[in-house]
Amino acid sequence: MEQNRLWAPWRIPYIRGLEKEEGCFLCRDYAHPEEDVENLVLWRTARSIVVLNRFPYNNGHLLIAPARHIADLGEASEEEMLELCKLVRESQRALSIAISPHGFNVGLNFGRCSGAGLPGHLHLHVVPRWEGDTNFISVCSDTKVIGQSLAELLAILGRASAEHGLPCL
Ligand SMILES: [Zn+2]
């Protein structure tokens, strides 16, 4: 799934690895509710946080993480496990309302060898998919076009959440 994207400004810090020097961005985001818009936080709950991935595989790519800095499912409480799973459901609901995907990939990566960019803090990926989203550009040039700005998408998802009472846990 890892590809180059036609979205250079967002990729530069990732490529340079700057976020690694700043520590865990999920812990930072959870600790600063006043910066939710800048940090692209869609929802925060008692035990979890849902953020737009700044380096998305596809439009609307969300990350769902426990608030606690834990690396594995084995460290998660029953309540955290249940909330993470419910947030997968609610994320799919919100994305379906906001941007009408045809399908989803939902997944977990453990360890850098699996492709986890942040191996210390457990997080689930929810990636919307559309028929034909592996189009000629991605096939021919290993490049993916992301069609919507993250700020715009956050606003759309926020409105959809407010109108439909999401997340409903
Ligand atoms: Zn963390």
Side-chain angles (χ1 to χ4, degrees):
M1 256 176 130
E2 184 57 28
Q3 294 174 310
N4 297 318
R5 291 163 195 88
L6 291 177
W7 224 23
W10 302 101
R11 294 295 292 173
I12 288 166
Y14 185 65
I15 292 160
R16 289 180 182 164
L18 293 179
E19 79 280 7
K20 286 169 194 152
E21 294 165 21
E22 292 164 4
C24 176
F25 75 88
L26 291 169
C27 285
R28 182 204 63 204
D29 289 357
Y30 197 81
H32 295 283
E34 73 282 4
E35 295 173 10
D36 276 356
V37 173
E38 297 92 316
N39 291 335
L40 302 173
V41 175
L42 176 61
W43 299 327
R44 54 174 62 245
T45 65
R47 300 180 185 86
S48 318
I49 188 168
V50 180
V51 303
L52 276 173
N53 190 344
R54 288 176 186 276
F55 312 105
Y57 292 139
N58 215 351
N59 198 27
H61 182 169
L62 292 174
L63 303 177
I64 303 171
R68 289 195 305 132
H69 187 91
I70 54 174
D72 293 301
L73 291 171
E75 297 171 70
S77 69
E78 295 298 305
E79 292 80 10
E80 285 169 328
M81 295 276 279
L82 182 61
E83 197 171 278
L84 292 173
C85 197
K86 285 182 172 180
L87 283 168
V88 172
R89 177 192 68 198
E90 297 301 289
S91 294
Q92 288 182 276
R93 288 178 69 188
L95 289 164
S96 294
I97 293 163
I99 55 176
S100 306
H102 300 143
F104 295 93
N105 291 117
V106 176
L108 287 156
N109 301 319
F110 297 99
R112 288 213 184 274
C113 65
S114 73
L118 188 68
H121 196 137
L122 175 68
H123 56 283
L124 285 125
H125 296 261
V126 178
V127 183
R129 300 299 304 268
W130 288 266
E131 303 286 346
D133 62 6
T134 51
N135 61 22
F136 73 97
I137 294 176
S138 28
V139 172
C140 295
S141 66
D142 197 29
T143 298
K144 188 134 195 91
V145 181
I146 304 292
Q148 197 161 33
S149 87
L150 290 168
E152 183 188 349
L153 185 58
L154 185 71
I156 291 168
L157 286 167
R159 279 198 299 276
S161 302
E163 285 169 15
H164 292 82
L166 306 177
C168 182
L169 300 178

